Amino acid sequence: MDEQEVQRKRRENEERATQERARILGLPYLDTREFENVIPLINKSDTIPVEQMHRDFIIPLEQGNNEEPYRFMITSQTPNSLLSKMRSEYSSEGLHVNFFLISGSAYQTFILRYDPPQQVHYDDIKIAKEGDSETIAEVSKTLNSVSTEKVFNFLIDQADKLQASDIHIENLRDKIRIRMRVDGILHPVAEISRDRYRILMGELSARADLSSASTKPQSGHMQQDIYRDGSSHLLNIRVETVPTMYGQDAVLRLFNFDESLLNLDLLGLSEAELATIREIISHPRGLVLMVGPTGSGKSTTLYSILNALNNSDRKIITLEDPIEYGITGITQIPIQTNDGGSFAEGLRSVLRLDPDVVMVGEIRDSDTAKTAIQASITGHLVLSSFHANSTAAAFARMIDLIGTNPIFASSIRMLIAQRLVRKLADSKESYLADAATVDYIKRVLYGVDVNIDLDGDVTLYRPVPTDDAPFGYKGRTVLMEQMVVSEDIQAYLRGDVKDVNTHMIEDSAKANGMLTLEQKGVLAALRGETTLEEVSRVI
């Protein structure tokens, strides 16, 4: 039963009880549900003040006159002495007054219309620049003034507005530190007083279904609707807590629940990159691996590929820990790896359901790897993620995991390594690269057609902070390394070549036209999309 239905039944029971109470008291009963939110309000100055409505639980219903009675709504808490007094006063002036018993819920609805709560508007959170203690103090003051039951709504709304990916709540000896990760960088936001810790964690635990007294790490989940500029979207929020010396630290990871954003065309890829992905996933079988560290956008790319494949002709099943986005038309199965579940076991089960496409959240062990490979050669397209620094390193790691394997060589079709780098804001300024930097660029781009004269002046760009972009960057863009598995690479995986290493695999892929993450990053810097410093930080 959903929440609306629960509320409807609760109100129905309350109205029945009020009707019975009215019968016992000898008063007319009034069910206001049909009109309580639309009936015009009586001018308060013509009847009774709001203070009395609160004190005596009485609400004006209709303005009377010499011929028509004045009508008021009352509750079981309205004093009988008030009713007697009002009848006497109205009668002495030749007027009539009628009272109707209403439920407590009806009274609350009307009193909120007559006396709506004052809306408190808090200042927006600003990200402080390095050494900017004044902004942190200002935001801290704001956060300390927000009531505990509203502080998470406020924090999450502000994090969404800043396009932050995480909110970190950290216990220090004498305060609680709040930090947000924006464009991949963790920024201090505020410090709130320690005396709010228990109430704060109690509220978070209740919303994410966690224990506020746990001495073990916990995982939870919550959702929040965000209303902005006349529209709304749903945020999925993953909550992770871990006990520390001074209390439970928490990280809230924000996922924008908007299927329309899970689109390959919105990832910022080139036409060639998009064409390569679409060609590979058009085949009915094979293994496609996404590699990269946490926070590199692997999940978004995988979900965008799933969305591109999602139609009525295909059965798509995912195994995830946890499910980060819900997609209409796809069967998504949560795998509780913390409670003994495994991707390998789940994968073997779902293959009996005859899927066309399977997405495995992550390959973490040899059992999952072998099961995924087996599935990919028996008529299934299998997508998964794998932790490695580059596509070539992923092959080396996979060989360490399962050994040289002819079946793996024939099943793997493509590896994608990915990073997210901050994009320069429009306020950027150009400068000429020095000789050492030009030498580095030439070395990285050796053999790559760049359409730029690297023997002349080389222009790069640096960030210029503004109010809109306090660090000179705004948003992030994808750097993607795509390795399509060729015959040469298959030979390495089969064990035809002895003593295989990462450099050998990478050189072979580059000879077939692959651009590495570093090359993609340097090209992006030359185009003015980012900086070499940002590429160096991420790669």
Side-chain angles (χ1 to χ4, degrees):
M1 187 183 297
D2 61 24
E3 184 64 23
Q4 271 191 325
E5 182 62 17
V6 170
Q7 295 295 343
R8 189 191 67 78
K9 285 187 174 294
R10 189 175 294 158
R11 180 68 185 270
E12 180 67 39
N13 292 337
E14 185 182 6
E15 293 299 332
R16 269 202 296 269
T18 304
Q19 187 173 17
E20 178 62 19
R21 194 175 297 117
R23 187 186 65 77
I24 293 170
L25 296 174
L27 288 168
Y29 159 73
L30 182 62
D31 186 346
T32 66
R33 282 175 287 183
E34 293 296 324
F35 61 84
E36 61 192 21
N37 287 306
V38 295
I39 188 173
L41 300 181
I42 306 300
N43 189 329
K44 288 175 279 189
S45 61
D46 292 340
T47 51
I48 54 178
V50 168
E51 293 77 10
Q52 187 178 355
M53 295 184 203
H54 281 288
R55 186 183 66 245
D56 294 329
F57 298 91
I58 184 169
I59 301 287
L61 176 63
E62 285 184 304
Q63 178 82 22
N65 52 42
N66 291 333
E67 297 177 0
E68 295 294 328
Y70 288 76
R71 294 181 172 89
F72 293 88
M73 297 177 287
I74 61 172
T75 76
S76 57
Q77 294 176 271
T78 307
N80 278 328
S81 57
L82 174 68
L83 306 187
S84 300
K85 179 182 176 184
M86 289 180 67
R87 285 191 183 103
S88 175
E89 288 176 351
Y90 277 83
S91 178
S92 67
E93 297 181 17
L95 303 173
H96 298 283
V97 60
N98 290 340
F99 299 102
F100 299 87
L101 193 70
I102 61 172
S103 66
S105 293
Y107 168 80
Q108 289 297 333
T109 301
F110 277 104
I111 199 66
L112 285 174
R113 289 186 63 198
Y114 273 105
D115 187 24
Q118 185 178 358
Q119 292 292 322
V120 180
H121 295 283
Y122 300 104
D123 293 333
D124 284 342
I125 285 178
K126 297 173 186 170
I127 298 295
K129 297 176 187 175
E130 190 172 347
D132 181 6
S133 58
E134 286 186 13
T135 298
I136 292 178
E138 184 182 324
V139 177
S140 301
K141 184 178 178 182
T142 298
L143 269 184
N144 277 304
S145 70
V146 179
S147 60
T148 304
E149 67 271 13
K150 293 180 181 177
V151 72
F152 283 113
N153 287 350
F154 177 68
L155 270 177
I156 293 165
D157 178 78
Q158 290 293 303
D160 178 75
K161 197 169 189 176
L162 290 166
Q163 296 183 317
S165 58
D166 324 328
I167 302 170
H168 293 245
I169 302 171
E170 301 161 320
N171 288 275
L172 307 180
R173 185 175 61 82
D174 56 349
K175 60 197 171 192
I176 299 172
R177 180 172 65 178
I178 308 292
R179 295 195 288 175
M180 291 185 185
R181 191 179 297 281
V182 180
D183 292 337
I185 304 292
L186 202 56
H187 297 282
V189 168
E191 295 165 351
I192 57 179
S193 57
R194 281 285 306 170
D195 58 10
R196 302 189 73 185
Y197 168 72
R198 291 191 181 280
I199 304 174
L200 198 67
M201 285 309 300
E203 179 72 15
L204 177 62
S205 299
R207 293 183 60 173
D209 195 23
L210 302 173
S211 167
S212 59
S214 176
T215 56
K216 296 180 180 178
Q218 299 176 92
S219 297
H221 176 262
M222 53 198 268
Q223 293 183 326
Q224 183 165 315
D225 284 306
I226 302 291
Y227 300 94
R228 185 167 292 114
D229 302 326
S231 62
S232 67
H233 60 269
L234 181 67
L235 275 185
N236 270 330
I237 302 155
R238 206 162 94 199
V239 181
E240 304 288 343
T241 67
V242 62
T244 68
M245 182 183 293
Y246 299 112
Q248 289 191 65
D249 282 10
V251 176
L252 284 64
R253 295 201 66 194
L254 279 56
F255 300 94
N256 189 341
F257 187 77
D258 188 341
E259 284 187 46
S260 65
L261 298 178
L262 301 175
N263 187 320
L264 286 173
D265 293 326
L266 299 179
L267 294 180
L269 305 179
S270 68
E271 285 299 321
E273 290 170 329
L274 283 173
T276 302
I277 291 175
R278 289 200 167 100
E279 197 281 324
I280 293 294
I281 65 175
S282 68
H283 293 267
R285 68 174 187 85
L287 177 63
V288 176
L289 287 181
M290 284 288 310
V291 303
T294 301
S296 60
K298 297 192 303 293
S299 295
T300 301
T301 300
L302 277 174
Y303 277 109
S304 298
I305 291 173
L306 286 176
N307 237 359
L309 292 166
N310 188 14
N311 58 41
S312 58
D313 298 335
R314 291 189 181 94
K315 172 79 169 181
I316 301 176
I317 300 179
T318 71
L319 303 166
E320 305 175 61
D321 177 25
I323 295 172
E324 294 178 355
Y325 299 95
I327 302 179
T328 307
I330 291 177
T331 302
Q332 296 175 264
I333 302 172
I335 301 295
Q336 306 293 343
T337 55
N338 289 339
D339 296 328
S342 77
F343 283 118
E345 183 183 340
L347 182 54
R348 283 190 285 266
S349 299
V350 302
L351 290 177
R352 293 193 284 269
L353 301 177
D354 190 30
D356 298 292
V357 182
V358 180
M359 194 270 273
V360 182
E362 186 181 345
I363 291 178
R364 300 174 182 171
D365 52 61
S366 60
D367 192 14
T368 306
K370 290 174 181 176
T371 308
I373 291 165
Q374 190 66 37
S376 68
I377 63 170
T378 55
H380 307 89
L381 178 62
V382 180
L383 311 174
S384 190
S385 66
F386 190 58
H387 277 285
N389 287 329
S390 67
T391 54
F395 273 135
R397 245 200 96 205
M398 187 64 79
I399 290 171
D400 288 341
L401 200 63
I402 63 172
T404 51
N405 189 318
I407 300 177
F408 177 50
S410 62
S411 69
I412 183 73
R413 297 187 57 81
M414 184 181 189
L415 284 96
I416 300 172
Q418 185 171 302
R419 298 292 189 279
L420 296 174
V421 293
R422 290 183 294 173
K423 288 169 61 177
L424 281 167
D426 292 338
S427 56
K428 65 189 176 187
E429 67 177 17
S430 61
Y431 68 96
L432 294 179
D434 59 31
T437 303
V438 173
D439 287 344
Y440 162 74
I441 292 171
K442 286 181 178 180
R443 187 171 68 254
V444 171
L445 297 181
Y446 180 76
V448 178
D449 183 10
V450 296
N451 297 320
I452 296 174
D453 180 13
L454 296 179
D455 293 322
D457 291 337
V458 176
T459 302
L460 293 172
Y461 299 84
R462 61 168 64 98
V464 177
T466 63
D467 289 342
D468 190 42
F471 298 94
Y473 295 95
K474 196 167 182 65
R476 289 190 288 179
T477 188
V478 173
L479 300 180
M480 184 177 284
E481 177 180 298
Q482 296 178 331
M483 183 187 287
V484 178
V485 180
S486 63
E487 284 289 336
D488 296 343
I489 294 171
Q490 285 183 346
Y492 293 132
L493 304 181
R494 284 193 300 265
D496 297 351
V497 180
K498 301 302 180 185
D499 300 323
V500 177
N501 60 49
T502 300
H503 294 298
M504 292 168 65
I505 297 173
E506 186 173 284
D507 288 343
S508 182
K510 287 165 72 174
N512 288 324
M514 185 190 83
L515 295 179
T516 66
L517 283 169
E518 188 175 17
Q519 289 172 335
K520 289 286 187 75
V522 170
L523 289 171
L526 290 172
R527 290 193 300 268
E529 295 172 7
T530 188
T531 63
L532 286 181
E533 291 76 17
E534 179 67 5
V535 172
S536 175
R537 180 187 69 82
V538 172
I539 300 175

